[in-house]
Amino acid sequence: MSWFESFILGLVQGLTEFLPISSSAHLRLTAAFAGWNDPGPAFTAITQIGTELAVLIYFRKDIVNIVSAWFRSLFSKEWRGNHDAQMGWLVIVGSLPIGVLGLTLQDAIEGPFRDLRLIATTLVVMGVVLGFADRRAARDETGGRHRVANQRKTLQELSIRDGLIFGVCQAMALVPGVSRSGATISGGLLMGYTREAAARYSFLLAVPAVLASGAFELKDASEGHTEWGPTIFATVIAFVVGYVVIAWFMKFISSKSFMPFVIYRILLGIALFALVGFGVLSAHAAESAG
């Protein structure tokens, strides 16, 4: 991998990790369109550490409060009813599905799941799901001519059941094209949460999953032939760009619809189907990880 490739891929990772359009799909497609080797799941997992560091910094107050309250709740009954302490347990519970499925489906993640036809399918299908969830949320928030607005749930109302459902949605993002934020935010909106609540929990839920995945890949990569210079460079780029994107996205969702992302996903998926169908692009283009 050249330094230019690592710069572009780090930029793509930072730009797409927190938007509901799938960073893993865009890394895969960038390599395929450019004629480069597929960066592979190890590169994706390691560069995601950079974007998750951006989450840790952006949500540092929330995370410090959650971790502190959670530890105190282990030794003091008075803290067990604290919302931050409960959120700590809910993040743990929500992380279980992706932990189990990530280990179970590791071979598929590194092989069949990277087929461009599957990526095209997940881009379109999850685009439709996100669009439906977004319209439903908008209808609840604004009401209508003959109905009143419905009050949507906040993170204060998050339950173990809902945390597990969020976790299952996050686990779906093991398939490139689904999008971690897209799946979890869609799940949250369908369960009746506000856009901001769904996005905030989505970002918090991603921290242990991504850091664990990155650590796991770091262990394997140290035994392989990873090009550490370009990979670390891409991770730094992803961190800087990712922080800017988080700040923008949290402001965007407070007043805007997800429909631009829905349209983009569907158009990209259709275009990808066409390119593969007409033989312009192989379904396994750039499949060999570099």
Side-chain angles (χ1 to χ4, degrees), residues 209-233:
V210 171
L211 293 181
S213 174
F216 182 80
E217 292 292 351
L218 277 173
K219 175 181 70 67
D220 287 352
S222 64
E223 301 170 358
H225 302 285
T226 300
E227 298 176 83
W228 285 107
T231 300
I232 293 173
F233 179 56

Side-chain angles (χ1 to χ4, degrees), residues 80-100:
R80 291 174 189 171
N82 180 274
H83 173 69
D84 287 328
Q86 292 174 345
M87 183 60 67
W89 286 112
L90 288 167
V91 169
I92 293 172
V93 168
S95 300
L96 294 177
I98 198 169
V100 173

Side-chain angles (χ1 to χ4, degrees), residues 2 16 20 22 37 49 62 71 84 92 95 110 116 129 133 149 169 189 196 199 227 232 234 267 281 290:
S2 70
T16 60
S22 179
N37 284 331
I49 293 177
D62 290 12
F71 270 111
D84 287 328
I92 293 172
S95 300
E110 296 176 353
L116 295 183
V129 172
C169 292
L189 293 179
E196 184 179 2
E227 298 176 83
I232 293 173
L267 291 179
L281 200 62

Side-chain angles (χ1 to χ4, degrees), residues 199-253:
R200 185 173 291 268
Y201 185 62
S202 171
F203 291 157
L204 293 175
L205 193 60
V207 172
V210 171
L211 293 181
S213 174
F216 182 80
E217 292 292 351
L218 277 173
K219 175 181 70 67
D220 287 352
S222 64
E223 301 170 358
H225 302 285
T226 300
E227 298 176 83
W228 285 107
T231 300
I232 293 173
F233 179 56
T235 302
V236 172
I237 296 296
F239 162 73
V240 174
V241 176
Y243 186 88
V244 174
V245 171
I246 293 175
W248 173 82
F249 187 63
M250 292 305 294
K251 292 179 180 179
F252 177 88
I253 62 174

Side-chain angles (χ1 to χ4, degrees), residues 97-108:
I98 198 169
V100 173
L101 291 177
L103 292 173
T104 305
L105 302 175
Q106 184 181 2
D107 290 341

